Amino acid sequence: MTGSAEGAERTPGELAALLIDASAEAISAAGGHAGGVYLRSGTPGLLRLAVLEGLPGPLFRPWWRLHVDRPFPVADAYRLGVEVVLPNATETMRRYPQFAAGLPFQFGSLYVPVTGGSSVFGVLTVLRPSAGDATELLPVRERMSQLAKELGSALRTLENGDAAAVNWDGGPLCVRPPARRRPSGYLGRFAWDPATNVVTAEERLNVVLGAAPGESHATVEEFAEAVAPGDTDRILAALREAAGGRPPALPLYVRAANGALRLVEIWGPYEDSTPVSAAPVRGVVLDPGASAVADVAADQLPDGVFCLDRLGSVVYANPHAARLLRRPRGELLGRTLWESVPWLNQPAVEDHLRVALLAPDPVHFHVRRPPDPEHETAARTFSEELLALSLYPGPDLLTCTIRPGHGMTDTTSDLLDVHGTQEPAGATSLAPLYRPIVLAIALTEAVTPRQVSAVVMRELLPVFGGRRLAIYLLQERHLYLAWETGFPKGFLAPFDGVGLDKGLPGVETLTTGRPLFFDSMQQLADAYPGIALDATEGARAFLPLIASGRPVGSCILGFDRPRSFSSEERSVLTAMAGLIAHALEKAQRYESEAALARGLQQALLPRRLSEHPLLETAGRYLPGTQGMEVGGDWYDVVSAGDGIALVIGDVQGHGVQAAATMGQLRSAVRAFALGDRPPDEVMSGTNRLLIDLDAGLFASCCYIRLDPATGVAQAAVAGHPRPLLRRSDGRTHLLDLPGGVVLGVDPQAQYPVAELRMDPGAVLALYTDGLVERPGVDIDDGISALRVALARAGGPGARPGGRTLASLADRLTATARHMTDRPDDIALLLATRRATPLRRK
């Protein structure tokens, strides 16, 4: 069973209702402001966010997908089957620096695995206000554990009943949590079951609507008529939209029979593309009373005021806010802020919205409104385009004020606008707080210690005003200098290779695990008498590089002038040290694994190809230049009875596992070919072998058995790009071969065999997708370009003195060979029939 919030795939109502109910109860039990459920997906090792309650999905898109091997609390809870409790931001930063770098806000969180029998379905999670320590959350943990257990049992029953795995492969269902406080004019809640058309309401609401005592059921039409006789159609339309997955963002203002104003607030239990669902649509009927008066009063305020719900939709805006945002109120209400005001759809503004949604304190910032050519004149000053915004968090709403940012001039250099990264004068800079996000993203691309150091120099030093950087790596209880910049030439040489018994700050920070901060060189000298100092008087920060509890090395930041480090800066620098340590640990593993993988790859690729007097072949392999550099592409030429087997394949992924799996598949195909098995049997046997290996990988393959004497060939394809054939007359086309699914997916897969003929002088080209696929370019265009290149290049014997097949292979891979950024490895196999047998000397 698979859920999806987008696209044509239907969301299973029962599954969605279970997840949303569990999430809502967990949020309530934990006193949280948001939560959700991660579920396993159809992709092995990948978790997807199935439900997000209380937060706008678009602002948290980076957390929609998560691999179980990542150092994140959700992944640990799922992979290890344990509860993860992070009572506050400090504990989060200490245990999960990469997670804290992405969401560096003051909140606590809990993660409980959802298990049923021997299956781990996912993780139930709640974000809540910070607590002092984990002991304060013991009652919350017990309740969440019970909820996760009940959800796991229900999912197991659902899975067994449908005989299909409970997975989630779409985007999250973004749900508005029920309001925490009932308004003073509360009348009552109701639920409508679209399947039966029956409305069940609270007794109090039934009485208000004129139902007889004890009567609790009505059709939806009767209910709408009782609530607002003059607005029946509007209520019915809103309910049906909610059943179809589109609950209205705003309460519906209607009139009772006596003319009194009523509000009908509706929320669907989940989003669904189906017009009628088996799960109920819930709502509440309110007497707005004083709240309506408050809206009228707020309309008269001189400042702009608007309110956002927990999903970012504008639920109220006074006229002055609409004028300042340059949008009619009708275009603001019911739409998210970033949809209704496109110029606020910027990363800097999103950062502040995330703070207000996750942290308890008000958020203040300035933005510069873009000029409006239809209404603005050249006389408009810089300050008249400046707007001051304040966001005030609440349990159900964000209240926002907006006013002109008078008093600032165009000479102000520390302005945050929607196109920049700075903040208004006098405000505490948020740049250090958000810089870990940039650093974390940049570090994902660094795969060697030198690249990690270069990223740190580029992303870390400028934001804190640093000028010097040194990174030491630990090897056999000694620290060795891996990178330095900004220090006097030769100054750090005496510290290279120092043992862990030395009384130096770079050693002590690693052995104790505590960062050391010195506001000036004098402070450093007082703490470590006799230590060698360079000529500057600036501050120093010594950071321990510790990853997964293991020491990696030390990082030293140097500054030209004395400076103090705020508690926020110290916390952020400590978190960033964790990011650097994890990146360096990964880089060290990469270097050793890459060396092993390269050796394995070279050992597994054929040293020479099988020969035949009537056939010439040439193969080429190019490793990728990203990631592990080696992958699972291979080619082979094998004797098959009185014929020759031409083979090319591609194992998913890169690294040692992909290379090892490639070697096993190549050996299997070779064994089948040497036994002269038909192509379909070769594919089926190799497919079953890969499934039995349980490597978690799949592979594509093309197998062609050619009789060089007659030119007759039989081909079978398993999810692989089709070969190209350049005929002896120069015409080149893509072979239209039937095919089966990739190897390693379906044990019952069938692989049809097609027959083709190859004339003397024709060239057959087998290749992997790395040769024809480029980011942002359709693969069909890449295949067409290869076809044209093969046609123009001709073939051996096409004319007197024609090029050899080997030179043709070099020419077809020349462009790829000279690319510095080659994301995938490449394999190419060419074959041509000779008109006469090759004479051996």
Side-chain angles (χ1 to χ4, degrees):
M1 180 174 292
T2 301
S4 175
E6 301 174 358
E9 190 175 10
R10 183 179 184 274
T11 304
E14 190 173 358
L15 173 59
L18 285 172
L19 301 178
I20 291 171
D21 287 346
S23 175
E25 289 207 33
I27 293 172
S28 176
H33 39 57
V37 181
Y38 279 87
L39 282 186
R40 64 193 183 187
S41 70
T43 303
L46 184 69
L47 298 177
R48 286 185 179 269
L49 184 60
V51 168
L52 179 62
E53 188 159 348
L55 291 173
L59 292 188
F60 295 86
R61 186 178 290 273
W63 295 272
W64 285 13
R65 299 160 38 123
L66 186 67
H67 198 277
V68 297
D69 289 333
R70 295 292 302 280
F72 281 71
V74 170
D76 279 359
Y78 178 86
R79 188 181 66 258
L80 303 176
V82 299
E83 298 176 12
V84 176
V85 180
L86 304 173
N88 49 52
T90 301
E91 183 69 6
T92 304
M93 203 170 279
R94 185 183 73 81
R95 294 177 57 187
Y96 295 97
Q98 292 191 40
F99 175 61
L103 293 172
F105 313 126
Q106 296 298 318
F107 68 92
S109 53
L110 299 93
Y111 309 85
V112 182
V114 177
T115 60
S118 59
S119 298
V120 182
F121 293 102
V123 177
L124 180 64
T125 178
V126 168
L127 310 183
R128 65 178 311 281
S130 294
D133 56 49
T135 58
E136 296 182 26
L137 302 178
L138 286 176
V140 172
R141 294 171 62 179
E142 292 176 2
R143 178 57 182 148
M144 282 192 62
S145 295
Q146 181 62 30
L147 289 171
K149 183 178 179 181
E150 293 171 359
L151 177 59
S153 178
L155 293 179
R156 184 184 183 191
T157 301
L158 189 65
E159 186 173 69
N160 292 339
D162 287 356
V166 172
N167 293 331
W168 195 270
D169 287 302
L173 306 177
C174 299
V175 183
R176 291 177 176 84
R180 300 190 190 182
R181 300 174 184 169
R182 291 183 173 182
S184 58
Y186 175 78
L187 296 181
R189 297 184 180 274
F190 67 91
W192 168 51
D193 186 348
T196 62
N197 204 36
V198 170
V199 174
T200 304
E202 288 183 354
E203 183 67 25
R204 177 180 176 181
L205 179 58
N206 274 324
V207 172
V208 172
L209 297 182
E215 183 180 350
S216 59
H217 299 282
T219 66
V220 70
E221 290 81 8
E222 293 169 344
F223 172 80
E225 178 73 15
V227 172
D231 292 305
T232 302
D233 290 340
R234 292 175 63 209
I235 295 174
L236 291 176
L239 287 168
R240 286 166 184 152
E241 283 188 358
R246 297 175 298 278
L250 297 173
L252 192 66
Y253 284 84
V254 296
R255 295 285 177 181
N258 61 2
L261 191 66
R262 280 179 176 163
L263 272 74
V264 180
E265 188 171 351
I266 300 167
W267 59 89
Y270 55 86
E271 297 181 12
D272 197 336
S273 59
T274 330
V276 176
S277 166
V281 173
R282 299 180 177 88
V284 62
V285 179
L286 307 170
D287 173 6
S291 65
V293 175
D295 286 354
V296 172
D299 283 354
Q300 311 305 315
L301 292 176
D303 288 340
V305 177
F306 61 95
C307 296
L308 307 177
D309 70 6
R310 297 291 306 179
L311 295 193
S313 294
V314 181
V315 297
Y316 168 77
N318 71 357
H320 196 53
R323 284 194 295 271
L324 290 173
L325 294 173
R326 293 190 180 132
R327 286 292 182 274
R329 293 174 78 179
E331 293 183 12
L332 289 171
L333 299 179
R335 302 173 67 188
T336 62
L337 183 63
W338 44 91
E339 289 174 336
S340 54
V341 189
W343 52 270
L344 287 178
N345 187 16
Q346 300 287 338
V349 177
E350 289 181 1
D351 286 339
H352 290 292
L353 286 172
R354 277 191 285 266
V355 175
L357 286 164
L358 293 176
D361 299 323
V363 178
H364 310 282
F365 60 99
H366 287 72
V367 297
R368 191 171 63 204
R369 181 176 55 188
D372 183 354
E374 295 185 5
H375 301 94
E376 301 300 322
T377 66
R380 283 282 186 180
T381 66
F382 175 89
S383 62
E384 288 177 294
E385 294 295 348
L386 192 66
L387 299 176
L389 276 77
S390 296
L391 309 178
Y392 298 91
D396 301 314
L397 297 174
L398 290 182
T399 301
C400 314
T401 64
I402 180 172
R403 62 180 67 89
H406 297 310
M408 296 185 70
T409 69
D410 55 5
T411 61
T412 304
S413 62
D414 53 355
L415 167 70
L416 165 70
D417 66 19
V418 294
H419 307 293
T421 57
Q422 294 178 300
E423 295 206 349
T428 301
S429 174
L430 287 176
L433 193 60
Y434 295 109
R435 204 62 185 184
I437 303 173
V438 179
L439 179 65
I441 294 171
L443 285 174
T444 61
E445 304 298 325
V447 294
T448 68
R450 187 173 184 83
Q451 290 174 345
V452 171
S453 302
V455 167
V456 175
M457 183 184 68
R458 184 177 68 246
E459 302 294 346
L460 179 60
L461 287 185
V463 72
F464 289 96
R467 301 291 183 184
R468 293 164 171 78
L469 170 69
I471 291 180
Y472 288 83
L473 295 180
L474 180 65
Q475 295 179 15
E476 298 179 351
R477 297 188 56 79
H478 288 76
L479 287 172
Y480 293 93
L481 185 63
W483 177 278
E484 67 166 305
T485 183
F487 286 93
K489 186 176 181 180
F491 173 74
L492 295 177
F495 303 102
D496 191 14
V498 298
L500 295 187
D501 57 344
K502 299 295 184 181
L504 297 170
V507 172
E508 184 177 332
T509 190
L510 181 61
T511 56
T512 64
R514 293 184 296 103
L516 302 174
F517 298 94
F518 301 96
D519 294 351
S520 67
M521 295 295 277
Q522 185 59 51
Q523 270 193 9
L524 177 59
D526 293 342
Y528 293 89
I531 190 173
L533 304 175
D534 59 68
T536 64
E537 292 295 327
R540 290 288 184 272
F542 296 83
L543 307 175
L545 301 180
I546 300 174
S548 305
R550 294 187 296 274
V552 176
S554 301
C555 177
I556 304 173
L557 302 181
F559 303 83
D560 286 344
R561 293 183 296 274
R563 58 158 294 172
S564 59
F565 298 88
S566 67
S567 58
E568 178 185 85
E569 288 177 322
R570 293 179 183 224
S571 296
V572 172
L573 282 170
T574 302
M576 292 175 119
L579 292 177
I580 297 166
H582 279 282
L584 286 169
E585 184 187 46
K586 180 190 72 174
Q588 289 175 317
R589 286 200 310 267
Y590 161 84
E591 287 192 328
S592 59
E593 188 175 348
L596 175 61
R598 282 191 292 269
L600 183 61
Q601 181 84 15
Q602 291 171 359
L604 293 176
L605 285 172
R607 293 179 179 273
R608 68 179 189 85
L609 303 178
S610 295
E611 298 178 350
H612 192 282
L614 290 173
L615 190 69
E616 181 185 355
T617 58
R620 294 293 181 269
Y621 172 79
L622 301 176
T625 58
Q626 296 179 0
M628 283 304 303
E629 295 185 354
V630 293
D633 288 18
W634 91 95
Y635 61 86
D636 209 348
V637 178
V638 189
S639 296
D642 57 358
I644 289 288
L646 306 172
V647 189
I648 197 160
D650 183 0
V651 178
Q652 167 214 18
H654 298 83
V656 173
Q657 186 180 12
T661 303
M662 176 272 285
Q664 291 171 304
L665 294 188
R666 176 175 173 261
S667 297
V669 173
R670 233 183 133 72
F672 287 129
L674 289 170
D676 203 15
R677 302 281 290 276
D680 56 333
E681 292 186 21
V682 175
M683 289 291 95
S684 298
T686 308
N687 175 52
R688 287 191 294 271
L689 171 68
L690 183 54
I691 291 174
D692 290 342
L693 289 174
D694 195 22
L697 301 175
F698 58 82
S700 66
C701 186
C702 178
Y703 182 92
I704 298 178
R705 191 222 184 257
L706 173 67
D707 183 349
T710 64
V712 175
Q714 292 181 316
V717 179
H720 198 83
R722 274 35 175 190
L724 291 168
L725 180 63
R726 185 190 187 279
R727 300 190 181 278
S728 55
D729 60 5
R731 290 179 297 130
T732 305
H733 62 276
L734 186 69
L735 293 178
D736 185 15
L737 302 178
V741 298
V742 292
L743 307 173
V745 175
D746 179 8
Q748 306 301 322
Q750 300 294 315
Y751 298 95
V753 176
E755 187 171 293
L756 58 109
R757 182 175 295 276
M758 190 174 170
D759 298 328
V763 177
L764 185 65
L766 287 72
Y767 52 92
T768 57
D769 56 8
L771 185 60
V772 293
E773 199 169 30
R774 296 288 180 273
V777 179
D778 191 281
I779 190 172
D780 291 337
D781 294 337
I783 294 174
S784 296
L786 179 62
R787 181 184 62 79
V788 172
L790 179 60
R792 290 176 176 172
R799 58 184 181 274
R803 62 180 58 89
T804 65
L805 201 62
S807 65
L808 177 59
D810 288 336
R811 181 165 181 174
L812 294 178
T813 56
T815 300
R817 184 178 293 105
H818 291 95
M819 289 176 60
T820 57
D821 186 17
R822 193 166 56 242
D824 199 2
D825 48 346
I826 292 170
L828 172 69
L829 177 61
L830 302 179
T832 185
R833 281 185 69 209
R834 296 188 177 98
T836 58
L838 178 68
R839 293 182 180 180
R840 298 186 181 277
K841 294 182 179 180

